[in-house]
Amino acid sequence: MKKSTLLSLLLLSLATGCATSPTGRSQFMMIPPEYAISQSKSAYIQALTPFQNDGKLDNDPEIAARVRNITGRLIAQAIKKYPQTRDWDWSIKVIDDPETVNAWCMAGGKMAIYTGLLQKIQPTDDEIAEVMGHEISHAVANHTAEKMSWGAVTTVAVAGVAAGLGDSENAGAYVAGTAALAGVGVTLPNSRTAETEADAMGIELAALAGYDPRAATTLWDKMGKVGGAHPPQFLSTHPAPENRKAILTELAQKYMPDYLDKSPRPVYKLKTQSLPPLESVKK
């Protein structure tokens, strides 16, 4: 690939890949959100199939039902507030891994939460709602596509350097590597800006779903006490500013009226069946 071609591709992507998040923030979006969603379908099955094969998915019916109910209330509000998510194939799975304190949501509403978070944190329903509301917000705000976009630009830029040095084989390999970006919703940390955005969106979703927004601060207090000098994975992949607690407290007060509203709280009915074979979602 010619150096001039790679440079032109990089400059074009930077110039045209603009979008706006639900909070009004300007986003760089070279990778379409629709692509991130389609790739996440197979990435989700790839990530969870080993647990399913070992009998470690949703193996406690009571816990799975609790998580589905809480998450279903959040999803119902997400669909109401963000209609573009109405046709998503929403899914939530509980992974039986008592040592992992984490939860995540891929593009398109593909979610998981680990029993380690439930056992070590001992969260209330309100606190689980804050965890999953935060994760759902990452998907609603297209943070996966945003990370994939920056990853793709970095890949093309490195390929440009390789091509400029005459290493055409490595240049081609770097460009081909962009296809492996679909799993970044789980493997790469979000930016501090994305975390702040997910905090604000997530606490609002939880309040709209009838969960106490003040649980956001108690949740993070509990998270900070787990692991001592070694923070849980949930915190290591969710970089937080020092004043996060103050921000969450302020947001909680802002959304208290939504929580206190006596309107009915609908529940989105999540599927309970086993994962389909990976081959069934590959194109």
Side-chain angles (χ1 to χ4, degrees), residues 19-276:
T20 302
S21 79
T23 65
R25 177 176 64 88
S26 179
Q27 294 175 291
F28 172 63
M29 203 72 74
M30 188 180 86
I31 301 296
E34 295 77 15
Y35 178 78
I37 291 172
S38 68
Q39 294 302 299
S40 290
K41 291 179 181 178
S42 57
Y44 187 65
I45 294 174
Q46 270 187 312
L48 295 184
T49 294
F51 294 104
Q52 179 170 273
N53 292 342
D54 290 340
K56 294 183 177 181
L57 278 189
D58 292 341
N59 60 4
D60 186 318
E62 186 175 346
I63 291 176
R66 180 191 181 199
V67 169
R68 281 197 304 272
N69 182 68
I70 295 169
T71 308
R73 282 170 58 172
L74 295 167
I75 293 171
Q77 295 301 324
I79 291 173
K80 182 178 179 180
K81 190 171 181 63
Y82 308 104
Q84 72 274 17
T85 68
R86 183 175 303 279
D87 296 328
W88 283 6
D89 186 18
W90 294 92
S91 178
I92 177 71
K93 294 292 183 183
V94 179
I95 300 175
D96 185 8
D97 181 348
E99 297 304 315
T100 299
V101 181
N102 203 14
W104 44 262
C105 182
M106 290 184 177
K110 298 294 190 181
M111 294 171 276
I113 186 170
Y114 295 78
T115 56
L117 188 152
L118 302 172
Q119 294 170 5
K120 292 180 182 293
I121 301 298
Q122 292 292 308
T124 63
D125 286 2
D126 295 308
E127 289 166 346
I128 292 176
E130 295 300 332
V131 171
M132 299 315 301
H134 180 97
E135 295 306 319
I136 287 171
S137 296
H138 279 308
V140 171
N142 297 317
H143 289 163
T144 297
E146 191 174 10
K147 286 188 290 181
M148 289 175 71
S149 296
W150 282 114
V153 166
T154 301
T155 300
V156 173
V158 173
V161 173
L165 295 174
D167 189 353
S168 59
E169 285 190 12
N170 282 338
Y174 282 123
V175 173
T178 59
L181 291 170
V184 296
V186 178
T187 59
L188 294 181
N190 289 291
S191 68
R192 182 162 290 180
T193 298
E195 287 302 321
T196 300
E197 188 166 59
D199 276 348
M201 293 172 61
I203 200 169
E204 181 183 17
L205 282 179
L208 288 169
Y211 294 104
D212 191 338
R214 293 169 295 188
T217 54
T218 59
L219 169 70
W220 288 100
D221 282 342
K222 288 182 178 181
M223 285 285 187
K225 294 175 183 177
V226 173
H230 303 286
Q233 186 177 354
F234 189 84
L235 288 185
S236 67
T237 56
H238 293 69
E242 293 180 359
N243 63 343
R244 189 174 203 171
K245 184 175 181 179
I247 294 173
L248 291 173
T249 300
E250 184 177 344
L251 286 169
Q253 291 305 310
K254 177 180 179 180
Y255 293 116
M256 279 298 289
D258 294 312
Y259 163 59
L260 295 173
D261 186 357
K262 300 302 182 182
S263 300
R265 315 290 185 166
V267 180
Y268 179 91
K269 297 299 182 182
L270 285 153
K271 300 175 182 178
T272 59
Q273 72 266 27
S274 298
L275 297 170

